[in-house]
Amino acid sequence: QMTSTSTVLKRLLESSAQFPIKLHNFIDNEFENTKEKMESVNPATGELFFYLNRSGKQEADRAVAAAKRAFHSWSQTSPQYRSSILLKTAQIIEDNLDDMALLESRDQGKPVWLAKAVDIPRCIHNLRFFANSILHHTDPSILHHSPSPGLSYVVRDPVGVAVLISPWNLPIYLLSFKIAPAIATGNTVVCKPSELTSATAYVLMHALFEAGLPKGVVNMVLGTGAEVGEHLVTNPDVGLVSFTGSTAVGKKIGALAALSNKKTSLEMGGKNACIVCPSADLPTVIPDIVRSCFINQGEVCLCTSRLFVHHSVIDRFLSLFLDEAEKYTVGDPESGSKLGAINSKIHFDKVMSYIKIAQEEGGKIELGGRSVQPEGRCTGGYFIQPTLITGLTDSSRCMQEEIFGPVVCLVPFGSNEEVISRANSTSYGLSATVFSENVNEIHSIARSLRVGTVWCNTWMLRDLNMPFGGTKESGMGREGGEDSLHFFTEQKTICIKIN
Ligand code: NAD
């Protein structure tokens, strides 16, 4: 029995602590209940929002089996057909953009305006981008003459059953970036969204179903990483694992997947540096810099967490930064505030503990540093002021460890050589930003940074054609455009002798 995506959204938005609904697994185009359940809290109020299935090995295995059964026929379908289903899904999400944004906000804590401007449009773009790009690839072929004449050509086979595991900070934005290329290239999928943010993924399952996706092509199991995620990763019928989340979990998944030689892509944590050179046009670039520190409550893997500013401009920088940061109001995500709630109580405690550690390590709080308790319906929510800390050494915990909240450390530097070496001195290597009006300086710094992406005089300007991923402990492999196509397929060379 099909319930339309818009009806499901309406029901979810009515869910509350008094009348909570329960989200189910999606296996073989059926929504299935489990005996066990877990709670999902609205971080802006601290109250129960809905229940979700608490799945285990049995559900993981059933979902993989469904994906395996569906694989052969799905892999034989034409790219045009797969593309059309992705395009219909994108349209359904777009038709429900406002409700999707409100749901993402209530589940994640981010402001509604941000979900409306970024998360949901990006989900739609991910679906359309891969729906279109799958139609525009040509593979190499060669006519050779020695040692004897022959024709070699390449075909790309989908890998098989793909397990897609995603985090809580950009729930549908990141999951759709995996589902779209995986099914566009003919794989079948089992996805596991974060147990903290499963709501928009649940809606996406309805949208795929409504768009006519055959059964078993996309399945979803809900629950914790330890109880269900790990069983997906170790299932012998799974050929590929795409993971986005923390470095600790990513390393574990990498090790488990290696035991059965699965293809693996790991997108993990970051400790991203922003380098501000003396020539930077400060009044123009400050809004981007502050945004890079605090947007989405600092819960973006690409957020700036270490600010290296040339000592000759650091006073002016600090004063402009503090002025701009005044715009970063914190409060009810549905009220138009610039920043919303931290995703969970556990994460709130973690971020607050780092602010304390920074003070113990000799840091000075120049901005923020406290939790916020809005009046009214959000009194029980998890809110933290945007926070700027100075006076820390490069080896301090706050300069080395990922905090993943609205907390940034500011330190001065003297020369480009020095700042390159200091920016590279962490175990992470996800992204960095460089601000300078000197084009040679930009190129020389950007080329010396050991990260996956360097933004110059901007931040988060991203074309999906470009490779995305991290170096060192920030990741393994790249996704996006051609790279997703490579990751989600196996190239096969076919050679025919010509007489
Ligand atoms: P997390 O690693 O705790 O969880 C991510 C996902 O993995 C969740 O779905 C979780 O249930 C699952 N999981 C946990 N343990 C597992 C296990 N043993 N086996 C299988 N699955 C398991 O990460 P999080 O706290 O949800 O997200 C925040 C982290 O994600 C931050 O470190 C952030 O930097 C990172 N992140 C990275 C990128 C990137 O593109 N590099 C993007 C967004 C977030």
Side-chain angles (χ1 to χ4, degrees):
Q1 176 66 47
M2 189 164 99
T3 313
S4 77
T5 306
S6 57
T7 305
V8 169
L9 265 164
K10 298 270 181 282
R11 282 188 198 154
L12 272 163
L13 288 171
E14 279 165 15
S15 186
S16 67
Q18 289 73 37
F19 303 103
I21 68 165
K22 188 176 176 197
L23 308 195
H24 296 157
N25 293 338
F26 184 61
I27 300 176
D28 254 342
N29 276 7
E30 304 273 346
F31 288 91
E32 295 187 358
N33 196 3
T34 55
K35 250 200 281 166
E36 306 287 326
K37 66 173 186 249
M38 358 185 1
E39 291 192 349
S40 189
V41 165
N42 177 341
T45 61
E47 286 177 7
L48 173 68
F49 183 17
F50 55 80
Y51 291 115
L52 62 144
N53 277 2
R54 181 169 198 150
S55 314
K57 182 171 188 313
Q58 207 199 338
E59 288 80 17
D61 289 349
R62 277 172 39 66
V64 172
K68 190 182 173 191
R69 279 194 302 275
F71 176 67
H72 179 72
S73 65
W74 181 248
S75 68
Q76 303 296 306
T77 57
S78 68
Q80 285 75 8
Y81 175 64
R82 302 196 293 262
S83 174
S84 73
I85 289 186
L86 284 168
L87 291 174
K88 275 186 214 156
T89 309
Q91 192 57 51
I92 293 167
I93 301 292
E94 192 166 54
D95 292 343
N96 290 281
L97 193 147
D98 288 355
D99 282 351
M100 278 293 271
L102 189 54
L103 184 66
E104 194 73 312
S105 164
R106 285 191 191 162
D107 199 18
Q108 204 280 334
K110 66 183 68 218
V112 178
W113 69 263
L114 183 65
K116 215 185 255 188
V118 176
D119 297 71
I120 311 305
R122 175 60 179 272
C123 165
I124 297 162
H125 182 50
N126 286 336
L127 296 166
R128 291 197 175 131
F129 177 88
F130 288 105
N132 289 318
S133 78
I134 194 65
L135 304 177
H136 301 282
H137 285 293
T138 45
D139 290 313
S141 64
I142 189 162
L143 194 57
H144 39 93
H145 302 285
S146 69
S148 61
L151 168 70
S152 290
Y153 65 96
V154 171
V155 291
R156 284 174 188 278
D157 293 333
V159 179
V161 176
V163 160
L164 312 177
I165 301 178
S166 55
W168 51 255
N169 64 322
L170 300 166
I172 204 64
Y173 176 125
L174 289 171
L175 185 61
S176 55
F177 185 54
K178 297 180 188 299
I179 292 180
I183 63 175
T185 47
N187 299 279
T188 54
V189 161
V190 180
C191 51
K192 198 209 83 61
S194 167
E195 59 275 29
L196 296 161
T197 53
S198 301
T200 47
Y202 182 70
V203 177
L204 182 61
M205 297 304 116
H206 284 85
L208 286 160
F209 186 26
E210 190 175 332
L213 191 74
K215 70 176 188 175
V217 175
V218 174
N219 307 274
M220 178 179 74
V221 280
L222 301 173
T224 69
E227 288 171 346
V228 69
E230 226 166 287
H231 292 300
L232 293 173
V233 173
T234 49
N235 187 307
D237 288 330
V238 169
L240 171 155
V241 179
S242 170
F243 166 82
T244 300
S246 64
T247 294
V249 172
K251 282 184 187 174
K252 191 170 182 189
I253 287 178
L256 287 173
L259 292 174
S260 46
N261 201 30
K262 295 176 168 51
K263 277 190 104 172
T264 313
S265 160
L266 305 172
E267 305 285 358
M268 312 195 278
K271 192 70 197 170
N272 312 307
C274 164
I275 297 174
V276 181
C277 300
S279 70
D281 177 4
L282 290 182
T284 305
V285 300
I286 281 281
D288 263 348
I289 294 178
V290 176
R291 188 170 63 90
S292 81
C293 298
F294 300 137
I295 202 74
N296 205 47
Q297 302 70 247
E299 295 167 340
V300 181
C301 55
L302 304 163
C303 270
T304 297
S305 63
R306 296 177 297 149
L307 281 167
F308 293 93
V309 179
H310 193 267
H311 64 78
S312 62
V313 293
I314 198 164
D315 291 342
R316 184 152 173 262
F317 175 90
L318 181 58
S319 124
L320 290 168
F321 188 101
L322 295 178
D323 285 350
E324 176 69 18
E326 278 180 21
K327 294 180 192 158
Y328 283 67
T329 52
V330 181
D332 187 341
E334 294 175 34
S335 75
S337 60
K338 189 94 168 174
L339 301 180
I342 302 293
N343 176 252
S344 66
K345 176 71 167 71
I346 289 177
H347 193 57
F348 169 89
D349 289 341
K350 177 186 159 183
V351 176
M352 290 306 291
S353 80
Y354 272 103
I355 296 176
K356 195 157 161 256
I357 291 167
Q359 289 164 294
E360 288 162 5
E361 287 182 320
K364 182 178 172 215
I365 304 223
E366 306 277 355
L367 169 75
R370 292 176 193 281
S371 61
V372 177
Q373 207 177 4
E375 287 187 359
R377 67 170 206 115
C378 292
T379 307
Y382 320 128
F383 298 87
I384 300 179
Q385 293 174 333
T387 298
L388 176 73
I389 300 165
T390 56
L392 290 171
T393 61
D394 288 5
S395 59
S396 65
R397 285 186 62 192
C398 291
M399 284 285 283
Q400 288 294 324
E401 297 172 17
E402 187 184 45
I403 301 172
F404 211 55
V407 179
V408 63
C409 306
L410 168 65
V411 290
F413 74 87
S415 72
N416 288 351
E417 207 176 300
E418 171 204 328
V419 78
I420 288 164
S421 139
R422 290 172 64 194
N424 282 334
S425 298
T426 70
S427 57
Y428 293 106
L430 190 56
S431 69
T433 46
V434 183
F435 293 87
S436 165
E437 289 296 293
N438 178 333
V439 74
N440 293 325
E441 184 171 62
I442 284 181
H443 284 299
S444 99
I445 296 177
R447 291 181 61 168
S448 307
L449 294 172
R450 284 200 59 203
V451 295
T453 302
V454 183
W455 279 290
C456 306
N457 294 331
T458 185
W459 179 70
M460 275 280 261
L461 190 62
R462 175 141 163 69
D463 188 313
L464 294 189
N465 285 296
M466 294 291 108
F468 177 81
T471 67
K472 301 195 284 184
E473 299 207 348
S474 287
M476 192 189 283
R478 296 289 180 272
E479 293 187 31
E482 283 283 311
D483 293 270
S484 293
L485 182 77
H486 277 279
F487 176 58
F488 285 105
T489 57
E490 296 280 13
Q491 292 192 75
K492 180 164 67 192
T493 303
I494 298 175
C495 177
I496 312 166
K497 184 181 174 193
I498 298 177
N499 288 315

